Amino acid sequence: MEEVVKAILADVKENGDRALARYTEKFDHVALSEFRLSAADIENGFQQTAPEVIEALELAKANIVSFHEKQKQTGFVDAEKSGVIRGQLVLPMETVGIYVPGGTARYPSSVLMNALPAQIAGVKQIVMVTPSGPEGIPSAILAAAKIAGVDEIYQIGGAQAIAALAYGTESIPKVDKIVGPGNIFVATAKKILFGQVAIDMIAGPSEVVVLADESANPRFIAADLLSQAEHDTLARAILITTSQDLAQRVQTEVATQLALLPREEIARQAIEKHSAIFVVADIETQFALMNEIAPEHLEIQLNDPLSHLSRVKHAGSVFLGAYASEPLGDYLAGPNHVLPTSGTARFFSPLGVEDFIKRTAFISYTKEALALEKDAVMVLAREEGLEAHARAIQVRFEEELS
Amino acid sequence: MEEVVKAILADVKENGDRALARYTEKFDHVALSEFRLSAADIENGFQQTAPEVIEALELAKANIVSFHEKQKQTGFVDAEKSGVIRGQLVLPMETVGIYVPGGTARYPSSVLMNALPAQIAGVKQIVMVTPSGPEGIPSAILAAAKIAGVDEIYQIGGAQAIAALAYGTESIPKVDKIVGPGNIFVATAKKILFGQVAIDMIAGPSEVVVLADESANPRFIAADLLSQAEHDTLARAILITTSQDLAQRVQTEVATQLALLPREEIARQAIEKHSAIFVVADIETQFALMNEIAPEHLEIQLNDPLSHLSRVKHAGSVFLGAYASEPLGDYLAGPNHVLPTSGTARFFSPLGVEDFIKRTAFISYTKEALALEKDAVMVLAREEGLEAHARAIQVRFEEELS
């Protein structure tokens, strides 16, 4: 697998569009004379999308934008010491690539979740790539792209699309960062190219942990667990409760609701093989176990849920109370749905504006300010055996010889 | 190489301390009964370090702390919409590992630059690993660790140390993130384990770009270029100037100063093979070329340097004016010296407090607030073919049947 991907990357790096066209024909079964979709194609997709979907995407956009606007950072300047200015700039990345998977599933919500934070960060050029099947690109994806302000869409996918974004080709711009989920070829290509280009997190199967007490509604909880389970046969849906009675009732409800789902088979495997209900002694144990799991999604269906927020050490996104159902966060509430999975909430964060900026430090010293600290610089430079470093300071205090 | 590293990682994952001891004996030629240094060992190293080095490290620490304190972020709460609370927590990582390379070079300044931002972020456990040679660990490294507040130091190195930190062993704690430079084995191990654990940037050779006009001092510039060049035969030192005369004088100065350096051979290779002086027409071209390079270090030795800061699009750390010599930033000014190299300043940032925190989003909705947005959630869920997502919302508005 890694060898296959490496060969594709090298080929696209070497042969650009020609290689890209070859792989697109081979894997996506389409022969393209032009990778880029026209504005008319995008507009057409928008027009073919049901009005209630457009309306829902617009509402989602408004909530995502108002939430992510609050993530914007500014730089700082520190001039507290005489003769010294120190500071930090926050600058947007220039060009970002968003990968949108093809296949039977279509996730217009992911287009919003990936593109809008980049826009808010101030990224100038947002490029979307997505493989085109025989039926083209789903209209809802094109509508979401238009709503999110993405105007460059290329019909390419797989490892070859990742290579094109990382290296650039005659028709595909080289980008600074690649975000968005993909199949194993896409994930492998991203991991190999990390460093050459920035990438987002490595995504694993999705999971939810629900913390509940006897006051919680078992029907709501069962429905939320199943919404997680329907994603993927490897998805994990976990309830941790202090109530034996609630545990029983949730189990019954899961069985009842599961039987009625269109994606019953997927959800059943996730529930039977990767999910669990834990009954524990107290609230401390609930949170200790949850923090051990470091879940992607956490629902706190306890009395006075907000009061427990400070117990959360590791979680991607937290849903407080009976009505903050996890799918509300997936689509509409505004926080990002691209979240750290499989325990990586210990060190990764939800996708956000932060992912599309970089920081630059700056300093300015007067000669007098440098004079006060020059000896310390030279001592450390010489301690580390870097004499030229010491001399770069020293030369500034020597008389001109000429 | 990758195969060798993968075998080491698998062995340490499987066999823990036993494998670690075996590799430490094989590669570092020391047989250890205990990996961890005692408090007495660390104190001893501190005592053996020259007082002026201790004093310089303390001054560096004060400047690093006062700068990085300004990077601290807080979360936010947004309660602008009736019945809706949305917000973001900023939480420290719990455990972080710092790799400090062994070998002949010793860089106590790197210990401060890696450990202090983690401390300021609120990381509870900062673990340092560094291979012990026959002469043990340099006392200045131990002194820097003590000054930086690192109290767990393990005498391990190489890919086996990275594996130990990523997986944990009987005696080495599993960490959330690994930072710090290392040789090719260390870098390869970090890249392979990325996702299992967070890592810092992939570091390449060091570089500086100096932008100067006819008012600049050629001796200062030559000294700064050479301080970069002495790092590594692959280091790049680049001057971009509008003055043919300055270019000439810098070239002469470089030759003069180079001949006097202890690390002349290294610096000469860097200067001859990887460095350059560009004479360009105007200030716009200077900045355009510099932004194309996206240098790790940027010196702006132009008239009124601060006025040009807004022209910087891609650079790790910027040094403004004749006295902000780059080595000042390496050791003492306060901004971090762990910087994006080889053009990665387009998308990576200097190491900072941000690298040791993660964000967690949260939402709370009342039933009434959810009622206003429920249709949009269900429309999008069904558009994406995720019926259980829609039902998780719907169930909250159905009459109880029992």
Side-chain angles (χ1 to χ4, degrees):
Chain A
M1 151 71 71
E2 221 175 288
E3 292 316 307
V4 173
V5 171
K6 278 183 182 167
I8 295 172
L9 301 184
D11 193 0
V12 173
K13 186 178 184 183
E14 174 85 12
N15 299 306
D17 280 349
R18 278 193 306 137
L20 202 50
R22 210 179 334 106
Y23 289 115
T24 301
E25 191 158 357
K26 181 172 173 190
F27 295 126
D28 301 337
H29 312 293
V30 280
L32 298 174
S33 57
E34 165 80 48
F35 299 118
R36 185 168 174 177
L37 281 187
S38 69
D41 290 334
I42 299 171
E43 182 59 33
N44 206 25
F46 182 85
Q47 294 299 340
Q48 282 173 19
T49 303
E52 68 269 22
V53 172
I54 299 288
E55 207 182 311
L57 288 171
E58 292 283 9
L59 179 58
K61 175 187 174 177
N63 286 348
I64 294 167
V65 167
S66 64
F67 184 83
H68 286 76
E69 284 280 359
K70 296 226 173 345
Q71 294 183 327
K72 277 168 89 168
Q73 291 178 37
T74 51
F76 60 81
V77 175
D78 163 9
E80 284 161 25
K81 208 153 59 172
S82 173
V84 176
I85 300 171
R86 306 186 301 177
Q88 182 170 282
L89 305 175
V90 174
L91 298 169
M93 292 183 195
E94 231 165 66
T95 309
V96 164
I98 298 177
Y99 190 90
V100 176
T104 49
R106 58 176 182 282
Y107 299 118
S109 61
S110 288
V111 175
L112 301 187
M113 292 290 183
N114 280 281
L116 292 171
Q119 283 231 325
I120 293 166
V123 174
K124 283 187 207 74
Q125 189 179 23
I126 302 175
V127 174
M128 189 172 122
V129 297
T130 189
S132 171
E135 288 155 43
I137 295 168
S139 60
I141 294 290
L142 299 176
K146 185 183 149 132
I147 288 167
V150 177
D151 54 9
E152 275 180 67
I153 305 178
Y154 297 89
Q155 303 178 72
I156 53 175
Q160 62 274 17
I162 302 300
L165 292 172
Y167 299 123
T169 70
E170 299 88 329
S171 62
I172 313 294
K174 178 174 156 60
V175 304
D176 298 320
K177 183 162 187 167
I178 303 173
V179 298
N183 63 20
I184 181 77
F185 288 92
V186 169
T188 304
K190 281 165 71 179
K191 191 164 176 182
I192 291 170
L193 291 169
F194 173 60
Q196 158 79 32
V197 66
I199 64 168
D200 56 359
M201 297 162 281
I202 311 281
S206 202
E207 77 251 351
V208 68
V209 167
V210 180
L211 304 185
D213 57 23
E214 69 293 338
S215 73
N217 184 318
R219 291 171 68 222
F220 298 2
I221 293 173
D224 293 351
L225 293 173
L226 287 169
S227 76
Q228 198 58 35
E230 79 170 335
H231 271 295
D232 186 341
T233 56
L234 297 173
R236 295 191 301 163
I238 293 168
L239 168 64
I240 307 174
T241 179
T242 45
S243 163
Q244 180 68 52
D245 178 57
L246 184 84
Q248 215 76 56
R249 294 172 66 194
V250 168
Q251 191 157 14
T252 307
E253 270 295 335
V254 165
T256 309
Q257 295 182 26
L258 176 58
L260 303 171
L261 288 181
R263 292 166 70 89
E264 183 192 348
E265 264 325 297
I266 292 168
R268 184 177 301 281
Q269 284 195 52
I271 290 290
E272 288 179 357
K273 294 194 190 147
H274 303 288
S275 301
I277 297 178
F278 295 95
V279 181
V280 299
D282 51 32
I283 212 164
E284 285 69 31
T285 313
Q286 281 182 298
F287 278 92
L289 185 51
M290 179 283 294
N291 281 318
E292 193 65 34
I293 296 168
E296 182 189 11
H297 306 97
L298 167 63
E299 290 190 358
I300 303 184
Q301 301 210 22
L302 302 170
N303 220 351
D304 193 7
L306 198 58
S307 72
H308 298 294
L309 192 56
S310 64
R311 297 178 190 259
V312 176
K313 301 294 173 223
H314 313 294
S317 200
V318 184
F319 302 79
L320 298 159
Y323 292 92
S325 172
E326 195 250 269
L328 169 65
D330 285 346
Y331 291 111
L332 216 84
N336 213 287
H337 79 196
V338 180
L339 297 169
T341 58
S342 310
T344 60
R346 293 186 66 85
F347 42 82
F348 288 149
S349 301
L351 193 72
V353 172
E354 173 66 33
D355 290 280
F356 300 104
I357 60 96
K358 62 258 176 39
R359 288 165 274 121
T360 295
F362 61 91
I363 62 168
S364 164
Y365 268 61
T366 59
K367 185 173 184 179
E368 294 67 34
L370 181 60
L372 295 175
E373 303 192 340
K374 73 181 194 332
D375 291 344
V377 179
M378 291 191 285
V379 162
L380 290 175
R382 288 179 174 133
E383 173 66 20
E384 297 192 353
L386 296 173
E387 178 62 23
H389 281 61
R391 292 193 190 171
I393 302 300
Q394 197 173 298
V395 70
R396 285 164 160 89
F397 295 92
E398 287 169 355
E399 293 302 310
E400 286 280 348
L401 299 178
S402 54
Chain B
M1 149 74 70
E2 221 174 285
E3 293 316 307
V4 172
V5 171
K6 278 183 182 167
I8 295 172
L9 302 184
D11 193 0
V12 174
K13 185 179 183 181
E14 174 84 13
N15 299 307
D17 280 349
R18 279 195 306 138
L20 202 50
R22 208 176 339 105
Y23 289 115
T24 300
E25 190 156 0
K26 180 172 172 190
F27 296 127
D28 301 337
H29 312 292
V30 280
L32 299 174
S33 58
E34 165 81 49
F35 298 118
R36 184 168 174 176
L37 282 187
S38 69
D41 290 334
I42 299 171
E43 182 59 33
N44 205 25
F46 182 86
Q47 295 299 340
Q48 282 173 19
T49 302
E52 68 269 23
V53 172
I54 299 289
E55 206 181 311
L57 288 171
E58 292 283 8
L59 179 58
K61 175 187 174 178
N63 286 348
I64 294 166
V65 167
S66 64
F67 183 84
H68 286 76
E69 285 279 359
K70 296 224 173 344
Q71 295 182 327
K72 277 169 89 168
Q73 291 177 37
T74 51
F76 61 80
V77 175
D78 163 8
E80 285 160 25
K81 210 155 56 172
S82 173
V84 176
I85 299 170
R86 307 186 300 178
Q88 183 169 280
L89 305 175
V90 174
L91 298 169
M93 292 182 195
E94 230 165 67
T95 309
V96 164
I98 298 178
Y99 190 90
V100 176
T104 49
R106 59 177 180 283
Y107 299 119
S109 62
S110 289
V111 175
L112 301 188
M113 292 291 184
N114 280 281
L116 291 171
Q119 284 232 324
I120 292 166
V123 174
K124 284 186 207 76
Q125 189 180 23
I126 303 175
V127 173
M128 190 171 122
V129 297
T130 189
S132 171
E135 288 155 46
I137 295 168
S139 60
I141 294 290
L142 299 177
K146 185 182 150 131
I147 288 167
V150 177
D151 54 9
E152 275 179 68
I153 305 177
Y154 297 90
Q155 304 178 71
I156 53 175
Q160 61 275 19
I162 302 299
L165 291 172
Y167 299 123
T169 70
E170 299 87 331
S171 62
I172 313 293
K174 177 173 156 62
V175 304
D176 298 319
K177 183 162 188 168
I178 303 173
V179 298
N183 63 19
I184 180 77
F185 289 92
V186 169
T188 303
K190 281 164 71 179
K191 192 166 174 180
I192 291 170
L193 290 169
F194 173 60
Q196 158 80 33
V197 65
I199 63 168
D200 56 359
M201 297 163 282
I202 311 282
S206 202
E207 78 249 352
V208 68
V209 167
V210 180
L211 304 185
D213 58 22
E214 70 294 336
S215 72
N217 184 318
R219 291 171 68 223
F220 298 0
I221 293 173
D224 293 351
L225 294 172
L226 287 168
S227 76
Q228 198 58 35
E230 79 170 334
H231 271 296
D232 185 342
T233 57
L234 297 173
R236 295 191 300 163
I238 293 168
L239 168 63
I240 307 174
T241 177
T242 46
S243 163
Q244 180 69 52
D245 179 57
L246 183 83
Q248 215 77 56
R249 294 171 65 194
V250 168
Q251 190 157 13
T252 307
E253 270 295 335
V254 165
T256 309
Q257 295 183 27
L258 177 58
L260 303 171
L261 288 181
R263 292 166 69 89
E264 184 193 347
E265 264 325 296
I266 291 168
R268 185 177 300 282
Q269 284 195 53
I271 291 290
E272 289 178 357
K273 293 194 191 146
H274 302 288
S275 301
I277 297 177
F278 296 96
V279 181
V280 299
D282 51 32
I283 213 164
E284 285 70 30
T285 314
Q286 282 182 297
F287 277 92
L289 185 51
M290 178 282 293
N291 281 317
E292 193 65 34
I293 296 167
E296 182 188 12
H297 306 98
L298 167 64
E299 289 190 358
I300 303 184
Q301 301 210 21
L302 302 170
N303 220 349
D304 193 7
L306 199 57
S307 72
H308 298 294
L309 192 56
S310 63
R311 298 177 190 260
V312 176
K313 301 295 173 223
H314 313 292
S317 199
V318 184
F319 301 80
L320 298 159
Y323 292 92
S325 172
E326 196 252 89
L328 169 64
D330 285 347
Y331 291 110
L332 216 83
N336 213 287
H337 79 195
V338 180
L339 297 169
T341 58
S342 311
T344 59
R346 294 187 64 86
F347 43 82
F348 288 149
S349 301
L351 193 73
V353 172
E354 173 66 33
D355 290 281
F356 300 103
I357 60 96
K358 63 259 176 39
R359 289 165 273 122
T360 295
F362 61 91
I363 62 169
S364 163
Y365 268 61
T366 59
K367 185 173 185 181
E368 294 68 33
L370 181 60
L372 295 174
E373 303 192 340
K374 74 180 193 332
D375 291 346
V377 179
M378 291 191 284
V379 162
L380 290 175
R382 288 180 174 134
E383 172 66 21
E384 297 192 352
L386 296 173
E387 177 63 24
H389 282 60
R391 292 193 190 171
I393 302 302
Q394 197 173 298
V395 71
R396 286 166 158 89
F397 294 92
E398 287 170 355
E399 292 303 310
E400 286 280 347
L401 299 178
S402 53

